[in-house]
Amino acid sequence: LRVALIAPPGGGKGTQAAMMKEHFGLVHIATGDIFRAIVRGEYKGNMDVEMIKGYMARGELIPDQVVIDLVVERISQPDCAKGYLMDGFPRTVEQAKAFDAIDPSKRLTHVLYLRVPREVILDRLLGRWTCPTCQAVYHEKTHPPKVAGICDVDGTALIQREDDKEETILKRLDIYEKQTMPLISYYRDAKILTEIDGNATIYDVFSQIKEVLSA
Ligand code: AP5
Ligand code: ZN
Protein backbone atom coordinates (compact mmCIF):
# COMPACT_ATOMS: atom_id res chain seq x y z
CA LEU A 1 0.00 0.00 0.00
CA ARG A 2 1.21 3.48 -0.89
CA VAL A 3 -1.38 5.87 0.48
CA ALA A 4 -1.85 9.64 0.71
CA LEU A 5 -4.36 11.47 2.90
CA ILE A 6 -5.93 14.68 1.66
CA ALA A 7 -7.96 16.71 4.15
CA PRO A 8 -8.33 20.29 5.27
CA PRO A 9 -6.22 21.56 8.18
CA GLY A 10 -7.63 19.81 11.24
CA GLY A 11 -9.32 17.25 8.99
CA GLY A 12 -7.89 14.34 10.97
CA LYS A 13 -4.89 13.32 8.84
CA GLY A 14 -2.50 12.95 11.78
CA THR A 15 -5.10 11.21 13.95
CA GLN A 16 -5.97 8.63 11.28
CA ALA A 17 -2.34 8.22 10.21
CA ALA A 18 -1.37 7.12 13.73
CA MET A 19 -4.00 4.36 13.64
CA MET A 20 -3.24 3.35 10.04
CA LYS A 21 0.47 3.09 10.72
CA GLU A 22 -0.24 0.69 13.56
CA HIS A 23 -2.88 -1.39 11.72
CA PHE A 24 -1.27 -1.65 8.28
CA GLY A 25 2.40 -1.40 9.28
CA LEU A 26 3.04 1.55 6.99
CA VAL A 27 5.89 4.05 7.23
CA HIS A 28 4.27 7.38 8.19
CA ILE A 29 5.64 10.42 6.35
CA ALA A 30 4.12 13.66 7.66
CA THR A 31 5.61 16.68 5.91
CA GLY A 32 4.23 19.05 8.57
CA ASP A 33 5.99 17.02 11.33
CA ILE A 34 9.22 16.99 9.31
CA PHE A 35 9.12 20.78 8.81
CA ARG A 36 8.34 21.33 12.52
CA ALA A 37 11.38 19.16 13.37
CA ILE A 38 13.49 21.25 10.99
CA VAL A 39 12.32 24.42 12.75
CA ARG A 40 13.28 22.89 16.13
CA GLY A 41 16.74 22.24 14.67
CA GLU A 42 16.36 18.45 14.86
CA TYR A 43 16.92 17.69 11.20
CA LYS A 44 20.27 17.25 9.55
CA GLY A 45 20.85 18.68 6.11
CA ASN A 46 20.88 21.92 4.24
CA MET A 47 17.68 23.75 5.03
CA ASP A 48 16.86 27.42 5.30
CA VAL A 49 15.25 27.17 8.73
CA GLU A 50 14.18 30.83 8.95
CA MET A 51 12.47 30.61 5.56
CA ILE A 52 10.52 27.49 6.60
CA LYS A 53 9.61 28.99 9.97
CA GLY A 54 8.19 32.07 8.24
CA TYR A 55 5.93 30.15 5.86
CA MET A 56 4.61 27.94 8.65
CA ALA A 57 3.94 30.79 11.06
CA ARG A 58 1.98 32.62 8.36
CA GLY A 59 0.02 29.46 7.53
CA GLU A 60 1.35 29.46 3.96
CA LEU A 61 2.67 26.54 1.95
CA ILE A 62 6.40 26.01 1.71
CA PRO A 63 7.67 26.34 -1.90
CA ASP A 64 6.98 23.22 -3.96
CA GLN A 65 10.56 22.44 -4.90
CA VAL A 66 11.72 22.39 -1.26
CA VAL A 67 8.94 19.95 -0.36
CA ILE A 68 9.39 17.76 -3.44
CA ASP A 69 13.15 17.36 -2.89
CA LEU A 70 12.57 16.40 0.73
CA VAL A 71 9.85 13.84 -0.04
CA VAL A 72 11.69 12.27 -2.98
CA GLU A 73 14.74 11.81 -0.78
CA ARG A 74 12.65 10.29 2.03
CA ILE A 75 10.81 7.89 -0.27
CA SER A 76 14.07 6.53 -1.66
CA GLN A 77 15.09 5.19 1.76
CA PRO A 78 14.87 1.40 2.14
CA ASP A 79 12.12 1.41 4.81
CA CYS A 80 9.65 2.83 2.26
CA ALA A 81 9.97 -0.20 -0.01
CA LYS A 82 7.25 -2.03 1.95
CA GLY A 83 4.72 0.80 1.62
CA TYR A 84 4.17 4.24 3.05
CA LEU A 85 1.54 6.67 4.20
CA MET A 86 1.79 10.33 3.19
CA ASP A 87 0.18 12.80 5.57
CA GLY A 88 0.18 16.35 4.22
CA PHE A 89 1.77 15.63 0.83
CA PRO A 90 1.01 16.28 -1.99
CA ARG A 91 -0.70 19.59 -1.39
CA THR A 92 -0.54 21.22 -4.80
CA VAL A 93 -1.01 19.88 -8.33
CA GLU A 94 2.63 20.79 -8.93
CA GLN A 95 3.72 18.48 -6.07
CA ALA A 96 1.46 15.68 -7.35
CA LYS A 97 2.87 15.92 -10.87
CA ALA A 98 6.44 15.88 -9.64
CA PHE A 99 5.64 12.83 -7.51
CA ASP A 100 4.01 11.07 -10.48
CA ALA A 101 7.23 11.50 -12.40
CA ILE A 102 9.21 9.26 -10.00
CA ASP A 103 9.84 5.54 -10.32
CA PRO A 104 6.40 3.93 -11.05
CA SER A 105 7.02 1.28 -8.36
CA LYS A 106 6.95 4.06 -5.73
CA ARG A 107 3.84 5.90 -6.93
CA LEU A 108 0.65 6.21 -4.90
CA THR A 109 -1.86 3.35 -5.04
CA HIS A 110 -4.61 5.04 -2.95
CA VAL A 111 -5.57 8.62 -2.16
CA LEU A 112 -8.09 9.06 0.64
CA TYR A 113 -9.95 12.34 0.75
CA LEU A 114 -11.36 13.04 4.23
CA ARG A 115 -14.24 15.42 3.68
CA VAL A 116 -14.82 17.73 6.67
CA PRO A 117 -17.01 20.85 6.54
CA ARG A 118 -15.33 24.19 7.12
CA GLU A 119 -17.55 24.94 10.17
CA VAL A 120 -16.07 22.15 12.32
CA ILE A 121 -12.43 22.98 11.63
CA LEU A 122 -12.08 25.87 14.06
CA ASP A 123 -13.39 23.79 17.00
CA ARG A 124 -11.05 20.97 16.13
CA LEU A 125 -7.94 23.11 15.88
CA LEU A 126 -8.61 25.46 18.79
CA GLY A 127 -9.08 22.38 21.05
CA ARG A 128 -6.06 20.44 19.75
CA TRP A 129 -3.12 19.56 22.01
CA THR A 130 0.00 17.82 20.66
CA CYS A 131 2.85 15.93 22.29
CA PRO A 132 6.19 17.52 21.30
CA THR A 133 7.99 14.22 22.03
CA CYS A 134 5.96 11.59 20.14
CA GLN A 135 3.61 13.88 18.06
CA ALA A 136 0.50 12.19 19.50
CA VAL A 137 -2.56 14.36 18.88
CA TYR A 138 -5.39 14.97 21.38
CA HIS A 139 -8.48 17.13 21.57
CA GLU A 140 -9.74 18.58 24.83
CA LYS A 141 -13.33 17.50 24.06
CA THR A 142 -13.37 14.76 21.42
CA HIS A 143 -10.13 12.91 22.27
CA PRO A 144 -8.78 13.95 25.68
CA PRO A 145 -5.67 12.40 27.25
CA LYS A 146 -6.19 10.33 30.42
CA VAL A 147 -4.64 13.10 32.54
CA ALA A 148 -5.37 16.64 31.33
CA GLY A 149 -2.36 18.25 29.63
CA ILE A 150 -0.17 15.09 29.74
CA CYS A 151 0.68 12.66 26.89
CA ASP A 152 -0.70 9.13 27.51
CA VAL A 153 2.29 7.57 25.76
CA ASP A 154 5.28 9.23 27.43
CA GLY A 155 4.06 11.66 30.09
CA THR A 156 5.29 14.78 28.25
CA ALA A 157 3.41 18.07 28.83
CA LEU A 158 1.19 18.75 25.80
CA ILE A 159 1.49 21.96 23.75
CA GLN A 160 -0.65 23.91 21.28
CA ARG A 161 0.69 24.56 17.79
CA GLU A 162 1.78 28.08 16.86
CA ASP A 163 -0.27 28.02 13.66
CA ASP A 164 -3.47 27.07 15.54
CA LYS A 165 -4.55 30.67 16.11
CA GLU A 166 -7.91 31.65 14.65
CA GLU A 167 -6.49 34.07 12.08
CA THR A 168 -3.87 31.60 10.85
CA ILE A 169 -6.39 28.73 10.74
CA LEU A 170 -8.67 30.77 8.44
CA LYS A 171 -5.72 31.53 6.19
CA ARG A 172 -4.72 27.83 6.07
CA LEU A 173 -8.30 26.96 5.11
CA ASP A 174 -8.30 29.48 2.24
CA ILE A 175 -5.00 28.13 0.98
CA TYR A 176 -6.33 24.58 1.23
CA GLU A 177 -9.39 25.46 -0.84
CA LYS A 178 -7.38 27.26 -3.51
CA GLN A 179 -4.24 25.17 -3.75
CA THR A 180 -5.03 21.68 -2.42
CA MET A 181 -8.65 20.99 -3.38
CA PRO A 182 -7.76 20.83 -7.12
CA LEU A 183 -5.96 17.58 -6.23
CA ILE A 184 -9.30 15.92 -5.61
CA SER A 185 -10.23 15.96 -9.29
CA TYR A 186 -6.62 15.24 -10.26
CA TYR A 187 -6.70 11.94 -8.34
CA ARG A 188 -10.31 11.19 -9.22
CA ASP A 189 -9.26 11.34 -12.89
CA ALA A 190 -6.36 9.00 -12.07
CA LYS A 191 -8.95 6.60 -10.51
CA ILE A 192 -7.16 6.22 -7.19
CA LEU A 193 -9.31 8.57 -5.10
CA THR A 194 -11.81 7.47 -2.43
CA GLU A 195 -13.93 9.96 -0.56
CA ILE A 196 -14.35 9.34 3.19
CA ASP A 197 -16.82 11.08 5.49
CA GLY A 198 -14.36 12.80 7.83
CA ASN A 199 -17.11 14.41 9.90
CA ALA A 200 -17.78 11.27 11.92
CA THR A 201 -16.21 9.96 15.14
CA ILE A 202 -12.51 9.12 15.00
CA TYR A 203 -13.35 5.39 15.08
CA ASP A 204 -16.03 5.63 12.37
CA VAL A 205 -13.62 7.42 10.08
CA PHE A 206 -11.03 4.71 10.72
CA SER A 207 -13.56 1.94 9.90
CA GLN A 208 -14.27 3.55 6.55
CA ILE A 209 -10.52 3.71 5.83
CA LYS A 210 -9.98 0.07 6.82
CA GLU A 211 -12.78 -0.98 4.50
CA VAL A 212 -11.21 0.83 1.53
CA LEU A 213 -7.66 -0.37 2.15
CA SER A 214 -8.58 -3.96 2.94
CA ALA A 215 -10.64 -4.36 -0.25
P1 AP5 B 1 0.45 20.13 8.56
O1 AP5 B 1 1.13 19.76 9.81
O2 AP5 B 1 0.28 19.10 7.49
O3 AP5 B 1 -0.95 20.80 8.97
P2 AP5 B 1 -2.42 20.79 8.36
O4 AP5 B 1 -2.59 20.25 6.98
O5 AP5 B 1 -2.91 22.16 8.58
O6 AP5 B 1 -3.13 19.71 9.18
P3 AP5 B 1 -3.16 19.57 10.70
O7 AP5 B 1 -1.94 18.87 11.20
O8 AP5 B 1 -3.49 20.91 11.30
O9 AP5 B 1 -4.46 18.68 10.91
P4 AP5 B 1 -4.73 17.14 10.72
O10 AP5 B 1 -5.51 16.93 9.46
O11 AP5 B 1 -3.51 16.30 10.90
O12 AP5 B 1 -5.74 16.94 11.93
P5 AP5 B 1 -5.52 16.21 13.36
O13 AP5 B 1 -5.50 14.74 13.18
O14 AP5 B 1 -4.40 16.84 14.10
O15 AP5 B 1 1.18 21.37 7.89
C1 AP5 B 1 1.57 22.49 8.64
C2 AP5 B 1 2.34 23.47 7.76
O16 AP5 B 1 3.52 22.84 7.21
C3 AP5 B 1 1.60 24.00 6.51
O17 AP5 B 1 0.78 25.11 6.83
C4 AP5 B 1 2.78 24.36 5.61
O18 AP5 B 1 3.36 25.58 5.98
C5 AP5 B 1 3.77 23.25 5.88
N1 AP5 B 1 3.61 22.08 4.98
C6 AP5 B 1 3.37 20.80 5.35
N2 AP5 B 1 3.27 19.99 4.28
C7 AP5 B 1 3.44 20.78 3.18
C8 AP5 B 1 3.45 20.53 1.78
N3 AP5 B 1 3.24 19.29 1.27
N4 AP5 B 1 3.65 21.58 0.95
C9 AP5 B 1 3.86 22.83 1.43
N5 AP5 B 1 3.88 23.14 2.75
C10 AP5 B 1 3.68 22.12 3.62
O19 AP5 B 1 -6.92 16.60 14.05
C11 AP5 B 1 -7.21 17.93 14.47
C12 AP5 B 1 -7.93 17.92 15.84
O20 AP5 B 1 -9.21 17.30 15.70
C13 AP5 B 1 -7.20 17.10 16.91
O21 AP5 B 1 -7.36 17.75 18.14
C14 AP5 B 1 -7.92 15.73 16.91
O22 AP5 B 1 -7.88 15.11 18.19
C15 AP5 B 1 -9.34 16.14 16.53
N6 AP5 B 1 -10.00 15.13 15.69
C16 AP5 B 1 -9.44 14.40 14.69
N7 AP5 B 1 -10.35 13.61 14.09
C17 AP5 B 1 -11.54 13.86 14.72
C18 AP5 B 1 -12.87 13.35 14.56
N8 AP5 B 1 -13.17 12.43 13.62
N9 AP5 B 1 -13.84 13.84 15.37
C19 AP5 B 1 -13.54 14.76 16.32
N10 AP5 B 1 -12.32 15.27 16.54
C20 AP5 B 1 -11.32 14.83 15.74
ZN1 ZN C 1 3.92 11.73 23.66
Side-chain angles (χ1 to χ4, degrees), residues 7-16 31-33 35-36 55-56 59-62 67 87-91 95 124-125 127-129 137-139 142-143 161 163-164 172 198 200-202 205:
K13 298 180 292 296
T15 300
Q16 296 301 324
T31 44
D33 286 347
F35 288 123
R36 278 183 290 277
Y55 281 104
M56 293 183 87
E60 292 168 6
L61 296 183
I62 290 157
V67 186
D87 159 3
F89 177 92
R91 250 183 156 90
Q95 291 179 15
R124 286 208 188 171
L125 291 181
R128 168 164 66 182
W129 290 85
V137 176
Y138 301 90
H139 189 281
T142 61
H143 183 49
R161 260 169 55 176
D163 57 350
D164 282 348
R172 284 157 63 202
T201 67
I202 291 174
V205 176

Side-chain angles (χ1 to χ4, degrees), residues 130-136 138 150-156 158:
T130 308
C131 174
T133 304
C134 71
Q135 319 309 324
Y138 301 90
I150 302 293
C151 178
D152 290 350
V153 182
D154 48 34
T156 307
L158 302 176

